[in-house]
Amino acid sequence: MDLGNPAVDQAVLAEFIRTGGYDRQLRRCQRAYRERRDALVAVLAECFPGTAVSGIAAGLHVIARLPERYGPEPSFMRRANAAGVALRPLSDCETVPSGSRTVDLLLGHAHLTPHEITRGIRLLASVHREPGG
């Protein structure tokens, strides 16, 4: 009934599913993404105490709400940029400003190894030390 997809591609996908390759790939991805998310949550707790992490555990990104003491967001983002850490504040996704005084970050982790995640968050923390900390 589908006239838009090549028959060879459909046959290859059907064989991938039939032989269990698709299920194996999904399990590999789930393990890898869980390991990466766990590494991100752990290093955030270590380097930015009090950070609230949300987003489904099966996702490829998290929303990290840093406590107010790490803000305001514009200065946090300037320091991160100066350190060479590319970040995206959640406020970039808002259509109406929330007025939040916290630093809310959208952090993707699917394309990074746990080591890279840890290194990146520790670099970020090195330029965002709490006053007196």
Side-chain angles (χ1 to χ4, degrees), residues 32-48:
Y33 296 149
R34 183 179 318 114
E35 181 182 356
R36 292 167 186 177
R37 185 182 195 282
D38 290 349
L40 179 57
V41 170
V43 74
L44 282 169
E46 171 193 326
C47 295
F48 293 97

Side-chain angles (χ1 to χ4, degrees), residues 26 28-39 57-60 109-111:
L26 284 179
R28 271 192 299 271
C29 289
Q30 287 171 338
R31 279 190 302 271
Y33 296 149
R34 183 179 318 114
E35 181 182 356
R36 292 167 186 177
R37 185 182 195 282
D38 290 349
L60 305 179
H109 55 79
H111 64 291

Side-chain angles (χ1 to χ4, degrees), residues 8-9 12-13 15-17 20 34 48 50 63 66 78 80-81 85 90 95 100 104 106 108 120 122 130 133:
V8 172
D9 293 354
V12 169
L13 177 59
E15 183 68 9
F16 189 50
I17 292 169
R34 183 179 318 114
F48 293 97
I63 296 172
L66 280 59
R78 278 192 302 276
N81 188 47
V85 180
L90 190 59
T95 56
S100 174
D104 299 334
L106 182 60
R122 287 187 177 151
E130 293 182 56

Side-chain angles (χ1 to χ4, degrees), residues 25 27 30 73 83 131-132:
Q25 178 65 18
R27 283 192 298 277
Q30 287 171 338
E73 184 182 285

Side-chain angles (χ1 to χ4, degrees), residues 93-128:
C93 303
E94 295 175 341
T95 56
V96 177
S98 68
S100 174
R101 294 180 3 183
T102 60
V103 177
D104 299 334
L105 303 172
L106 182 60
L107 302 172
H109 55 79
H111 64 291
L112 301 168
T113 66
H115 174 74
E116 291 169 325
I117 292 166
T118 300
R119 190 179 72 212
I121 297 298
R122 287 187 177 151
L123 174 61
L124 186 61
S126 73
V127 297
H128 292 91

